[in-house]
Amino acid sequence: MLRHIEPLFESFLWRSRYIVLSAVVSSLISAVILFTIATMDVFSLVVSVIRYAIGLRADGVDVYDQFHSDVVSHVVGAVDDYLLATVLFIFALGLYELFISKIDQAEENSHYGSKILVIKTLDDLKDRLAKVILMILIVTFFKNVVHTSFVEPINILYLGGGILLVALSLYFTHRSSSHEGK
């Protein structure tokens, strides 16, 4: 009796991997949404910069410092959104390759460019996601530093420590990438 059920159950288990397609499609949709929002924000920023440059400021007062801070904040926010969309995109491709099927075009075209989209193991996916997530954290750190006022001297020391930690994380990430190629 069990001999007849076992192949059916194994077949069911094997086919159940297609549930991953829901995560693949959802991640792709989320990535498209974030790419679209970030791009719309950049176009909106371009319009604001053009209005500022030709002098159509509503208050009629030169507020360059505030405007500059707002522009930098919007650009950093767009970079943050693009990086998160990239994480979702890599995640979707990685899940598909790991659970459903290899993407033949990614393999065929990998010699023309980066192999970041060729994912063979769960560790490959994890490493690629970790690097992009590290970049998101760095951008978020930068965004927060831009809006920080350094009233007390200890705050400047904290900033230096934060920059040192970011530099160390980039160094170790680059170092591990260099050793993987050898």
Side-chain angles (χ1 to χ4, degrees):
M1 175 77 171
L2 278 168
R3 283 188 300 161
H4 301 295
I5 295 174
E6 184 178 356
L8 291 173
F9 187 71
E10 287 177 359
S11 176
F12 167 75
L13 278 177
W14 181 245
R15 288 190 181 116
S16 70
R17 76 186 193 283
Y18 289 108
I19 192 73
V20 170
L21 285 174
S22 64
V24 170
V25 171
S26 296
S27 294
L28 282 175
I29 290 170
S30 298
V32 168
I33 289 169
L34 280 173
F35 278 126
T36 303
I37 288 171
T39 302
M40 288 171 42
D41 285 348
V42 169
F43 283 131
S44 172
L45 181 62
V46 168
V47 170
S48 296
V49 168
I50 290 170
R51 283 184 177 159
Y52 180 84
I54 61 175
L56 296 178
R57 295 178 294 280
D59 57 5
V61 178
D62 189 16
V63 288
Y64 174 78
D65 290 337
Q66 182 61 43
F67 181 75
H68 182 269
S69 178
D70 290 345
V71 168
V72 169
S73 179
H74 277 77
V75 168
V76 171
V79 169
D80 201 25
D81 289 344
Y82 285 131
L83 285 171
L84 184 54
T86 303
V87 166
L88 292 167
F89 185 69
I90 292 170
F91 182 70
L93 290 175
L95 282 179
Y96 185 86
E97 280 206 76
L98 290 174
F99 288 93
I100 308 301
S101 174
K102 294 294 176 200
I103 301 172
D104 297 331
Q105 290 85 359
E107 294 285 338
E108 292 169 6
N109 295 325
S110 67
H111 61 280
Y112 289 116
S114 174
K115 294 186 180 200
I116 193 167
L117 299 179
V118 177
I119 297 169
K120 297 184 188 297
T121 67
L122 195 56
D123 283 338
D124 284 347
L125 179 60
K126 180 188 72 163
D127 290 344
R128 282 164 180 76
L129 290 176
K131 289 175 184 174
V132 179
I133 289 171
L134 175 63
M135 290 308 301
I136 291 172
L137 293 173
I138 291 168
V139 169
T140 302
F141 174 78
F142 177 70
K143 184 168 47 174
N144 289 327
V145 166
V146 167
H147 295 292
T148 302
S149 60
F150 301 103
V151 178
E152 298 180 24
I154 191 72
N155 292 343
I156 295 173
L157 186 61
Y158 290 149
L159 172 63
I163 292 170
L164 176 65
L165 291 174
V166 167
L168 284 173
S169 66
L170 287 173
Y171 170 75
F172 286 121
T173 301
H174 178 71
R175 187 170 173 208
S176 70
S177 296
S178 299
H179 288 308
E180 286 173 8
K182 293 180 181 178

